[in-house]
């Protein structure tokens, strides 16, 4: 689809630009994500847990599983590539003695792009957070139980 991404219905509703006769066909996913899939390695599970723990409540639903899985796996591969770069350096020597860029630099760069794209889709970057709106739960008054 060419042009701008469509504005989500919830954003139009908050802004007050949603027509009164609008019939929404947007899916309203339910169910929160919690447990990382079993097939992820330890580093990917750590990235998964970090994202779930730091995302706003009710932002990530079961429908977001694949995007969060891509983010977690790319984070794991990125960290592994960075560890290789830190150990071996950014340049390697070919069998005929010529220096060349380490293949791990290319891997790290590709994974960084995947991570950034997944982060933008999930509202994890500062600019994408400005496009996400979540209804905040009212804070409970700690004196309410005593007074009531």
């Amino acid at each position: 689809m060419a042009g701008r991404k469509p504005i989500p219905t919830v954003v139009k509703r908050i802004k007050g630009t949603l027509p009164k006769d609008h019939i929404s066909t947007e899916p309203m996913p339910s169910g929160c994500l919690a447990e990382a899939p079993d097939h992820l390695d330890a580093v990917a599970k750590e990235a998964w847990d970090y994202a779930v723990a730091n995302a706003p409540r009710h932002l990530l639903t079961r429908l977001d599983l694949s995007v969060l899985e891509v983010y977690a796996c790319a984070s794991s591969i990125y960290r592994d590539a960075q560890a290789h770069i830190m150990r071996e350096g950014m340049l390697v020597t070919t069998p005929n003695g010529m220096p060349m860029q380490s293949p791990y630099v290319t891997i790290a760069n590709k994974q960084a792009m995947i991570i950034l794209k997944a982060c933008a889709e999930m509202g994890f970057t500062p600019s994408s957070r400005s496009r996400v709106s979540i209804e905040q739960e009212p804070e409970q008054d700690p004196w309410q139980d005593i007074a009531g």
Side-chain angles (χ1 to χ4, degrees), residues 108-118:
N109 289 339
K110 179 68 175 172
Q111 298 311 308
M113 296 306 294
I114 292 170
I115 292 167
L116 289 173
K117 185 160 179 96

Side-chain angles (χ1 to χ4, degrees), residues 73-88:
C73 291
S75 295
S76 175
I77 296 167
Y78 176 82
R79 289 180 188 177
D80 185 47
Q82 286 296 330
H84 279 283
I85 293 168
M86 294 305 291
R87 273 195 313 271
E88 300 167 11

Side-chain angles (χ1 to χ4, degrees), residues 1-7 121:
M1 180 164 73
R4 293 183 182 178
K5 287 185 179 181
I7 298 172
E121 288 295 322

Side-chain angles (χ1 to χ4, degrees), residues 22 49-50 53-54 56 64 66 77 84 93 95 98 101 123 125 138 141:
H22 176 75
D49 293 338
Y50 178 80
N54 290 292
D64 302 316
S66 59
I77 296 167
H84 279 283
T93 307
M98 297 296 294
Q101 178 179 298
T125 63
D141 182 10

Side-chain angles (χ1 to χ4, degrees), residues 20-69:
K20 296 202 184 312
D21 61 346
H22 176 75
I23 299 173
S24 178
T25 57
E26 278 183 44
M28 300 304 286
S30 63
C32 292
L33 285 175
E35 297 289 322
D38 292 334
H39 63 274
L40 297 181
D41 64 20
V43 178
K45 284 183 181 181
E46 183 181 311
W48 176 285
D49 293 338
Y50 178 80
V52 169
N54 290 292
R57 282 188 79 208
H58 307 298
L59 175 66
L60 299 173
T61 64
R62 288 188 295 237
L63 193 57
D64 302 316
L65 175 106
S66 59
V67 178
L68 188 56
E69 187 175 358

Side-chain angles (χ1 to χ4, degrees), residues 131-143:
R131 295 187 301 265
V132 175
S133 175
I134 297 176
E135 291 184 26
Q136 298 293 327
E137 294 180 14
E139 289 189 24
Q140 292 290 334
D141 182 10
W143 297 101

